[in-house]
Amino acid sequence: MTSLDLELARERSHHDACRAALIRMTEDVAEQVVTGEDTAASGADAEALGRHLRSRAKEMREQPPGPLFFGRLDLDDGQTHHIGRRRIGEDPAAPPLVVDWRAPVSRAYYQAGAHDPQGVLRRRRFGWAPYSEGVSEDLTALEDEQLTAGGAVTVSALLAGEIERPRVGPMRDIAATIQPEQDDLVRSDPAASLCVQGAPGTGKTAVGLHRAAYLLYTHPQRIRRSGLLVLGPHRTFLSYIAEVLPSLGETGVRQATLDEEIARHPVRAEDGGAAARVKHDARMAEVLHRALYGRVDPAPADDLAVPDGSSHWRLPAAGLAEIVADVRAEAPPYATGRERVRARIVRALQLRAERRWGPMGAAWARRIERARALTAFLDACWPRTTPEEVLAGFLADPADPALTEAERAAIRWERPPRSFRSARWTAADLVLLDELAGLIERPESYGHVVVDEAQDLSPMECRAIARRTAFGSLTVLGDLAQGTTPWAARDWDGQLAHLGKAGAPVVPLTLGYRVPAAIVDLANRLLPHLGADVPAGRSVRKDGEVTFRRGADLLAATREAVREALTAEGSVGVITADGLVGAVERAVREGGEAEERVTVLPASVVKGLEFDHVVVVEPASIVAAEARGPNRLYVALTRAVSRLTLVHAEELPEWLGVRGPGRPTPRTAP
């Protein structure tokens, strides 16, 4: 038996011990739930304890199968630590068998190097069989890196193999492959907001999700109490990332689209392009503010007389106007402002009563608060209202000086509904309703929000997120070059200001680990045409392949490209313009290539997804389909993590490298 075989046998034995310890941990937690239910304590304490124990038991039961560790550190003080996705120990007081990757001691696994060993003598990486569910026999390889000051930098074959592993199924966590610059972002100050400008394949989405898991580990009470939200661009993307946080031992995190987060009504209508642009414009914040507070009468004409038995307490109109003006200047939420006006009127009346009759008790104040005359005054001066009532009134007659006549015409309801309850709201209307709801009553704030593809958010959508992070922090992820909405951001400073985090640091990630250099180089040719000042992407991978296929019969050429793609391992994504997706999907299915590994998608929903082989069908149609067509094509090209085929019948956009009369320049990796 070789020394390698002996080491593998020892590590497999350690993994068996870890598995047994994990089973005991799970059983102990289940037993604690039963014991905890019989604990003698106050009702509130018993309920809190039971909730905590049941949550922990559920977390232990639902831990996804898989290897229990992926690395090991041998330190110069003689200690050895196995690094995994969660802590595993035989006893809480004993040294753990596996250290959580988020623990402080684990940081050296990602950061230590020959130039700075950080007390590490040896870093060991483990190779597991693909899709292993954690059987010890699946531990098939290990690789040691000796870290000595001034030593040579080595390239990990296991690390490279894990990064380049075919993409089949949902997104995986990257706990085993986090790079130093990614680790810095993951472990950054929990209280601070952060923006990551990430080129394709740099792992910005994974960084955001791992930062969320890190915050839940380091600040569990604060983050869990106020909640953690992950916002994605669409449901396809959320399905793709859904298993990352559970694989890291974190469940119960809300993952949603912004539309789902703000939904007060179903979307039953669609705006035209001009109307949507107006409704998403930053000016709408002030427009809606004026529409809401236009209901407030700043100068009541009549005195207020409140009966009190046989007497009346009177407050002159001038005093009422002063109270209203003071509350307006304090700018509380609208509903709070109404009650603040009520309270100050009661206090002013109470002072008058006490000057005549002496101290008045709380019962007297409550009776005056409920007086019909006072409520009638408030209904006239500061009326109750709802977001729907205000927006319906505004859209029926959008007369605001901030809008041009053409803009007013674009958003004006042609036939106002009989009531706001029967209104057919659009997706943009829901954003405006959320703005009004936030003006009326301040929403609860999350402890932390991770928002992906943030470059595509409109100013009004950013404000919706800002309201939900007023007292929490934010991780902003995006790529200005991938902005595809009509209101997509051109720079991060303005976007961060709309998100309520002006001045948050913007950290670029340009070194890609998943998209090969051949594909990155092709995509970089589009950058001058995308209207965004971002650095060109780079890649550590020298493999990959880019192929051009031209054919008069576009669908036949597509079928052939998919057939060739299926000869290699991994997932296949077929991406085309939204208007062509139906014909392309039928062609792929009729050709017999519609197997489980093949997904046909419109270019509008591929952001954030990855496939081993991508077939982009008719790039010119993607470019021509919308104003941000070049940006959309840039997104489509960079979904490939191994191979890319461009199928076309029309001429390719010239900036992709056309030579001669419509003849593409072939590009393959060296």
Side-chain angles (χ1 to χ4, degrees):
M1 182 177 288
T2 66
S3 58
L4 175 60
D5 292 333
L6 288 172
E7 284 298 309
L8 281 172
R10 292 191 188 101
E11 297 293 4
R12 288 169 182 153
S13 177
H14 184 74
H15 192 267
D16 287 336
C18 295
R19 180 66 66 191
L22 181 60
I23 291 172
R24 286 194 296 273
M25 289 170 62
T26 304
E27 292 171 346
D28 288 347
V29 171
E31 185 177 338
Q32 289 170 19
V33 171
V34 176
T35 304
E37 290 176 346
D38 297 330
T39 300
S42 70
D45 289 344
E47 183 179 346
L49 175 62
R51 198 163 46 239
H52 169 74
L53 291 173
R54 286 191 297 273
S55 174
R56 189 154 178 260
K58 181 174 182 289
E59 178 185 309
M60 296 290 289
R61 288 195 309 272
E62 294 181 355
Q63 179 171 293
L68 300 181
F69 54 76
F70 52 78
R72 190 179 106 177
L73 288 176
D74 294 354
L75 306 181
D76 57 13
D77 62 3
Q79 295 187 72
T80 296
H81 301 294
H82 284 77
I83 313 298
R85 290 168 178 81
R86 69 167 304 134
R87 183 189 188 278
I88 299 174
E90 296 176 311
D91 185 280
L97 298 173
V98 177
V99 176
D100 194 298
W101 66 276
R102 296 165 288 187
V105 72
S106 300
R107 184 163 197 182
Y109 182 77
Y110 303 107
Q111 295 283 348
H115 62 290
D116 181 18
Q118 300 185 18
V120 178
L121 294 178
R122 178 173 64 180
R123 174 167 46 213
R124 172 170 286 181
R125 291 187 171 90
F126 298 101
W128 293 85
Y131 319 116
S132 171
E133 295 192 351
V135 179
S136 295
E137 288 71 22
D138 288 345
L139 177 54
T140 58
L142 58 83
E143 182 182 77
D144 288 338
E145 182 182 0
Q146 305 296 330
L147 301 183
T148 56
V153 177
T154 59
V155 177
S156 167
L158 288 180
L159 179 62
E162 175 63 23
I163 289 174
E164 298 173 14
R165 185 148 55 99
R167 263 61 187 162
V168 176
M171 183 179 182
R172 305 187 303 268
D173 70 79
I174 62 164
T177 62
I178 292 174
Q179 298 301 295
E181 67 274 17
Q182 296 172 327
D183 185 67
D184 287 336
L185 296 174
V186 167
R187 298 176 193 264
S188 56
D189 182 1
S193 293
L194 171 72
C195 176
V196 180
Q197 159 60 43
T202 54
K204 58 183 176 294
T205 298
V207 164
L209 294 173
H210 285 69
R211 188 178 190 219
Y214 177 76
L215 294 179
L216 288 164
Y217 176 84
T218 54
H219 293 77
Q221 297 304 317
R222 190 183 79 183
I223 298 296
R224 291 187 193 280
R225 182 171 59 250
S226 50
L228 193 149
L229 171 66
V230 176
L231 288 174
H234 46 71
R235 264 287 136 198
T236 303
F237 173 82
L238 291 172
S239 298
Y240 179 60
I241 68 169
E243 294 184 16
V244 173
L245 286 171
S247 72
L248 297 171
E250 299 299 344
T251 57
V253 175
R254 176 165 167 75
Q255 300 187 34
T257 66
L258 181 59
D259 289 345
E260 293 168 344
E261 182 67 16
I262 67 174
R264 295 172 63 91
H265 304 280
V267 174
R268 299 172 56 203
E270 186 174 346
D271 282 310
R277 283 190 290 273
V278 175
K279 291 178 180 180
H280 281 282
D281 192 280
R283 292 172 296 162
M284 287 304 297
E286 284 302 320
V287 168
L288 294 178
H289 189 276
R290 284 190 287 270
L292 174 61
Y293 282 91
R295 295 169 173 260
V296 174
D297 181 359
D302 299 323
D303 296 349
L304 171 65
V306 179
D308 182 17
S310 60
S311 303
H312 282 77
W313 301 109
R314 187 174 298 276
L315 201 61
L320 295 169
E322 185 177 351
I323 289 174
V324 172
D326 287 345
V327 173
R328 283 289 305 271
E330 293 164 6
Y334 183 91
T336 302
R338 173 185 163 96
E339 295 311 308
R340 196 171 290 180
V341 169
R342 183 198 299 272
R344 292 188 185 178
I345 290 174
V346 171
R347 180 59 181 159
L349 295 174
Q350 186 174 359
L351 290 175
R352 290 175 176 245
E354 288 177 344
R355 281 196 294 269
R356 180 180 299 181
W357 291 345
M360 312 302 290
W364 181 92
R366 286 195 297 270
R367 188 172 70 251
I368 297 298
E369 282 177 355
R370 296 192 296 269
R372 289 183 180 179
L374 176 51
T375 299
F377 167 78
L378 286 171
D379 288 343
C381 177
W382 199 299
R384 285 192 179 94
T385 191
T386 65
E388 290 80 1
E389 186 178 9
V390 176
L391 186 58
F394 170 74
L395 293 177
D397 181 21
D400 189 278
L403 304 179
T404 67
E405 188 52 48
E407 290 172 329
R408 295 172 195 167
I411 64 174
R412 182 181 289 114
W413 276 343
E414 293 182 7
R415 291 192 299 273
R418 293 181 180 178
S419 73
F420 66 83
R421 293 179 179 84
S422 62
R424 291 168 57 83
W425 303 110
T426 68
D429 289 337
L430 298 187
V431 179
L432 302 185
L433 288 172
D434 192 76
E435 177 76 20
L436 286 164
L439 291 172
I440 294 171
E441 290 187 82
R442 187 173 288 118
E444 292 187 7
S445 179
Y446 286 93
H448 191 81
V449 174
V450 177
V451 54
D452 208 345
E453 304 298 346
Q455 76 283 343
D456 276 336
L457 296 170
S458 72
M460 295 302 290
E461 289 173 323
C462 287
R463 290 177 59 84
I465 296 170
R467 284 188 288 278
R468 287 159 174 79
T469 57
F471 305 106
S473 51
L474 188 62
T475 297
V476 180
L477 310 169
D479 179 8
L480 296 175
Q482 296 185 54
T484 53
T485 58
W487 39 79
R490 302 285 186 174
D491 64 76
W492 285 118
D493 290 342
Q495 198 76 335
L496 288 169
H498 291 311
L499 285 164
K501 306 299 180 185
V506 179
V507 181
L509 285 179
T510 60
L511 186 59
Y513 298 92
R514 288 191 285 283
V515 181
I519 298 171
V520 170
D521 292 345
L522 177 66
N524 282 341
R525 289 176 167 265
L526 276 67
L527 290 180
H529 307 275
L530 304 184
D533 184 15
V534 297
R538 302 171 295 138
S539 178
V540 300
R541 294 179 54 186
K542 302 307 178 186
D543 61 333
E545 180 179 323
V546 176
T547 304
F548 294 85
R549 179 187 293 275
R550 185 168 191 176
D553 186 336
L554 181 68
L555 299 181
T558 300
R559 282 196 296 268
E560 184 60 30
V562 173
R563 194 173 296 122
E564 287 186 8
L566 288 171
T567 62
E569 186 182 4
S571 57
V572 179
V574 183
I575 302 172
T576 190
D578 290 38
L580 289 175
V581 70
V584 169
E585 187 166 23
R586 284 192 298 273
V588 171
R589 185 171 60 248
E590 290 166 2
E593 284 79 33
E595 64 166 74
E596 189 176 279
R597 287 197 291 148
V598 180
T599 306
V600 180
L601 291 165
S604 59
V605 301
V606 299
K607 221 170 259 184
L609 306 183
E610 291 180 343
F611 303 92
D612 289 282
H613 193 134
V614 166
V615 178
V616 176
V617 180
E618 203 61 276
S621 293
I622 295 175
V623 172
E626 55 188 306
R628 292 277 189 130
N631 302 72
R632 189 75 74 184
L633 179 59
Y634 179 81
V635 173
L637 297 179
T638 53
R639 300 309 91 201
V641 297
S642 291
R643 300 170 302 282
L644 172 66
T645 300
L646 288 83
V647 178
H648 63 108
E650 300 178 26
E651 297 290 344
L652 290 169
E654 61 180 358
W655 13 268
L656 282 180
V658 175
R659 183 179 59 194
R663 294 177 59 82
T665 304
R667 303 185 182 281
T668 59

